[in-house]
Amino acid sequence: MGLPRSGTTLLERILTGLPGVRTNGETDNFSRALLAATSPGNEDVFSRAKCADPSAVANHYANLARAAIDEPVVIEKLPINYLCLGAIYRALPEAKLLWMKRSPLDSCFAMYRTLFGGAYPFSYDFDDLARYYAAYDRLMSHWKRTLGSHLWEIEYEDLVKRPAVVGAAVAEHCGLQWEESAIQVEKNKRASFTASASQVRQPIYDTSVGRWRHYQKHLKPLARRLQELGVNLGEAETLTLLG
């Protein structure tokens, strides 16, 4: 999980290059399972979901996720599953929770420059984008405090610069057999329907790291708004953009 354009598809491609691993892609399997386990009533959906029986959620999810799956390990790659992390951990405490992170300005710029169609409407306006990112940042800080070591953080910048090292560490964390060939994502024949579909048909590259710097004059309003909302951009980025 992670924000759109944060590297979730790249990580998925690496892991599906390992034996016995399959992905369901970006599905709403978990949210469907969570809602199926809630009782009807007049309360809002969050209050009802909070009271859902975790074992019932797990059973519903297993039925959805395992359909037509013969590999023992299944990846569920929906970026905004970070919204449901607490419920996911309650229902599936043995699941490996992988969080892809990316620097704030690269992350926001990558979303801003992508045409998602009907998805992620907050990404086309600097103020909306900054407010969403700040809310995401606060939520992920909450999950880090709450879940601790159960939430495994992977830096996008680290993954693209040291894919074999980072990939092997993630595989070990997930109990998977590591194979160096997994980082040859361009040879992975599985279909991809995300905004990163063209990128993962190429060898892993790190030229997207710091791409925002090419447009820093235009991104100053975004950077300032992020700072106003309490997002830590990093000292170097702050000095470059706002100094």
Side-chain angles (χ1 to χ4, degrees), residues 12 15-25 65 67-76 190:
E12 175 194 43
L15 294 179
T16 54
L18 300 177
V21 181
R22 182 184 177 92
T23 180
N24 278 338
I69 299 296
D70 51 6
E71 284 89 349
V73 177
V74 178
I75 296 174
E76 193 74 50
R190 296 178 188 270

Side-chain angles (χ1 to χ4, degrees), residues 34-49:
L34 182 61
L35 292 176
T38 63
S39 301
N42 296 323
E43 293 181 295
D44 65 67
V45 67
F46 298 104
S47 298
R48 290 164 50 210

